[in-house]
């Protein structure tokens, strides 16, 4: 008998099944393995004791009441993209929100079910002539993205995803369904805007403030092999002077023969972007005007079912020499560092106005190491060398969560940590939602 099966046998699952019916999936039930596998397949071995396919807030309430009574691990899941698979607790209960994915747009407000994935959100918002700044990968869940902050291609103009949050419907570990907004549960509302997923309750629905969908211009600059250090140096200085309308990223690959790509999006027409691009060193350039929805589809990509990887991050507050970065990647057989520009509207919010503390960052650095042909430990050893070699201090982005991040509470939450812990103690005093990097 497997460990998850043993856990299921020792818990009164029949009581929860009376509430959920066949939407409670146990090991051995049809579909269990398909539901179980996370996007980061390095954790594909994990076996939860049960997966609850919730369709309404009352289901979530039943799950949290049950987990609290039975004293078993419990975690919410929307897009399966937790880099450390914290949404898949071993021998615990997965509260799967995928079916709670309705999106309705009225005027400048979008109500979004917490299980919605990003591309369907963009389709609904864009069809209404509106825009919402959020992530790129099409299958990322809105829940985890928004609760950690939400970096996007529109962020410098419109802020984080969490900056657009007007209210959230959330089930707290005591089983109560609450509304968190500037006027109701204001401390909880503050914490939900950047305090990370899974810490205070399970959100069932978000209400976001949208903006009229702008016209955009998407571009790519390609530099030849060997130019990565110079391109990264130029990119960093270029973005310091950039207007809010310009967002850009720069990717440095491990492969020394790889070209260096700088891509981005500009809120406005091609004719206004071209003079800005002229300030960068000469490169192979492609530029195309797109609608908001076309741009979101372009960046949504097609990431497939998932793969084995290790990831981490740093938040850059100063210029990081390009030679240092390429030196860290030299000799690696795979992997990449993805730099995303900050500044603009992101930096004009006080660091303690929301739970997201990295308002003074110039850029974020997301570090990926492939683990298809090596063990997790081997991948993480290389990852740590690159992460700490960036010299960006003890910082990190909670949505790129790293189970081996040194002093992770300070790295993710900075000076907002004490207040976040106070909110967590208030709403989850019995630590029902505890996980290895939970508050």
């Amino acid at each position: 008998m497997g460990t998850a099966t043993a856990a299921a046998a020792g818990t009164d699952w029949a009581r929860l099944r009376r509430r959920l019916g066949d939407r409670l999936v146990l090991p051995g039930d049809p579909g269990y393995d398909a539901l179980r596998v996370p996007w980061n397949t390095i954790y594909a071995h994990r076996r939860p004791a049960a997966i609850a396919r919730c369709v309404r807030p009352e289901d979530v309430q039943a799950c949290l009441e049950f987990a609290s009574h039975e004293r078993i691990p419990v975690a919410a899941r929307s897009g399966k993209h937790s880099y450390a698979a914290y949404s898949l607790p071993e021998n615990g209960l997965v509260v799967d929100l995928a079916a709670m994915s309705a999106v309705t747009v009225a005027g400048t407000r979008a109500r979004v079910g917490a299980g919605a994935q990003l591309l369907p959100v963009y389709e609904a918002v864009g069809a209404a002539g509106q825009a919402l700044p959020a992530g790129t990968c099409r299958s990322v869940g809105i829940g985890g993205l928004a609760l950690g902050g939400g970096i996007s291609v529109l962020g410098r103009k419109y802020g984080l995803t969490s900056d657009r949050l007007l209210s959230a419907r959330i089930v707290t570990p005591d089983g109560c369904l609450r509304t968190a907004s500037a006027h109701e549960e204001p401390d909880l509302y503050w914490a939900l805007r950047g305090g990370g997923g899974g810490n205070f309750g399970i959100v069932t629905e978000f209400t976001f403030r949208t903006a009229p969908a702008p016209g955009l211009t998407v571009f790519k600059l390609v530099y030849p092999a060997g130019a990565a250090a110079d391109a990264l140096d130029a990119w960093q200085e270029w973005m310091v002077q950039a207007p809010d309308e310009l967002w850009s990223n720069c990717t440095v690959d491990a492969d020394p023969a790889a070209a260096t790509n700088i891509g981005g999006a500009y809120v406005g027409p091609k004719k206004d972007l071209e003079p800005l691009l002229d300030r960068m060193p000469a490169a192979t350039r492609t530029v195309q005007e797109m609608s908001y929805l076309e741009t979101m589809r372009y960046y949504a990509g097609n990431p497939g079912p998932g793969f084995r990887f290790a990831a981490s991050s740093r938040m850059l507050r100063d210029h990081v020499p390009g030679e240092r970065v390429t030196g860290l990647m030299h000799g690696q057989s795979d992997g990449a560092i993805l730099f995303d520009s900050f500044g603009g509207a992101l930096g004009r919010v006080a660091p303690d106005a929301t739970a997201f503390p990295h308002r003074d960052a110039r850029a974020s650095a997301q570090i990926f190491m492939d683990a298809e042909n090596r063990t997790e430990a081997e991948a993480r050893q290389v990852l740590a060398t690159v992460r700490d070699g960036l010299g960006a201090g003890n910082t990190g982005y909670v949505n790129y969560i790293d189970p081996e991040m040194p002093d992770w509470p300070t790295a993710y939450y900075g000076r907002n940590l004490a207040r976040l812990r106070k909110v967590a103690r208030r709403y989850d005093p019995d630590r029902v939602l505890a996980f290895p990097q939970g508050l």
Side-chain angles (χ1 to χ4, degrees):
M1 179 179 288
T3 54
T5 306
T11 303
D12 185 14
W13 294 108
R15 185 162 65 89
L16 186 57
R17 179 157 267 169
R18 284 194 291 272
R19 300 281 296 274
L20 301 180
D22 61 6
R23 289 182 288 106
L24 181 67
V25 181
L26 303 176
D29 287 346
Y32 170 81
D33 280 318
L35 280 172
R36 177 182 61 83
V37 178
W39 192 65
N40 185 357
T41 56
I42 209 166
Y43 301 108
H45 61 278
R46 286 197 188 163
R47 296 182 62 81
I51 302 169
R53 297 178 298 170
C54 298
V55 299
R56 54 184 178 265
E58 291 81 3
D59 295 342
V60 179
Q61 290 175 289
C63 288
L64 282 179
E65 290 167 357
F66 180 83
S68 178
H69 180 268
E70 296 286 337
R71 298 188 178 277
I72 58 170
V74 59
R77 185 177 74 181
S78 53
K80 299 186 177 184
H81 277 255
S82 169
Y83 282 2
Y86 288 142
S87 59
L88 191 71
E90 184 77 18
N91 295 333
L93 173 61
V94 176
V95 181
D96 191 292
L97 305 170
M100 300 175 68
S101 59
V103 183
T104 57
V105 184
T108 59
R109 294 196 173 199
R111 293 176 56 190
V112 183
Q117 296 182 358
L118 292 186
L119 187 57
V121 172
Y122 291 139
E123 295 285 353
V125 172
Q130 294 291 297
L132 178 70
T136 50
C137 178
R138 66 175 58 218
S139 57
V140 163
I142 190 70
L145 177 113
L147 294 171
I151 297 172
S152 85
V153 303
L154 300 179
R156 284 173 48 85
K157 178 68 174 178
Y158 298 104
L160 298 170
T161 310
S162 58
D163 293 338
R164 314 293 297 190
L165 181 64
L166 294 172
S167 65
R169 294 285 278 166
I170 179 171
V171 179
T172 45
D174 58 3
C176 290
L177 177 61
R178 307 170 188 264
T179 298
S181 69
H183 306 292
E184 301 176 81
E185 314 280 358
D187 286 340
L188 183 56
Y189 173 62
W190 173 87
L192 293 177
R193 290 175 293 155
N199 280 314
F200 315 102
I202 297 179
V203 174
T204 61
E205 184 181 76
F206 299 91
T207 299
F208 295 106
R209 175 173 52 91
T210 60
L216 294 157
T217 305
V218 174
F219 67 92
K220 180 182 284 188
L221 307 177
V222 180
Y223 293 90
D230 290 341
L232 178 59
D233 283 333
W235 176 80
Q236 291 180 77
E237 296 310 308
W238 182 56
M239 287 309 305
V240 169
Q241 306 298 325
D244 291 6
E245 289 75 16
L246 178 63
W247 165 86
S248 181
N249 66 354
C250 179
T251 301
V252 177
D253 288 298
D255 182 359
T260 297
N261 292 318
I262 291 175
Y266 179 78
V267 181
K270 177 180 177 179
K271 68 179 180 62
D272 293 342
L273 171 63
E274 291 281 11
L276 297 173
L277 297 178
D278 290 341
R279 299 176 188 174
M280 281 291 287
T284 301
R285 181 191 296 188
T286 57
V287 183
Q288 183 177 359
E289 291 183 345
M290 297 184 184
S291 70
Y292 163 76
L293 189 50
E294 287 171 336
T295 302
M296 295 304 102
R297 289 170 178 160
Y298 171 84
Y299 278 107
N302 186 20
F307 59 102
R308 286 174 54 89
F309 67 91
S312 192
S313 63
R314 287 296 189 206
M315 306 300 293
L316 311 183
R317 288 172 168 80
D318 299 296
H319 184 113
V320 177
E323 285 192 2
R324 180 192 300 167
V325 174
T326 55
L328 290 168
M329 298 302 286
H330 181 73
Q332 302 301 333
S333 59
D334 56 64
I337 308 177
L338 287 63
F339 297 90
D340 279 277
S341 58
F342 268 53
L346 299 170
R348 286 195 289 273
V349 177
D352 60 354
T354 70
F356 185 85
H358 307 297
R359 298 295 181 170
D360 59 345
R362 290 171 58 155
S364 63
Q366 181 178 193
I367 312 153
F368 273 105
M369 289 296 160
D370 193 286
E372 293 290 349
N373 299 310
R374 55 187 170 192
T375 67
E376 178 184 1
E378 291 168 341
R380 291 204 177 281
Q381 184 176 16
V382 175
L383 180 72
T385 299
V386 176
R387 177 196 65 212
D388 298 340
L390 286 175
N394 183 33
T395 57
Y397 179 35
V398 69
N399 280 358
Y400 304 151
I401 204 158
D402 172 2
E404 296 184 359
M405 174 71 80
D407 188 16
W408 61 265
T410 302
Y412 296 140
Y413 304 118
R415 295 182 179 179
N416 291 332
L417 176 61
R419 184 177 175 187
L420 281 165
R421 281 179 164 159
K422 184 176 179 181
V423 175
R425 284 195 300 270
R426 176 181 171 188
Y427 287 95
D428 189 12
D430 298 325
R431 291 182 55 79
V432 174
L433 293 167
F435 62 98
Q437 288 181 304
L439 292 166

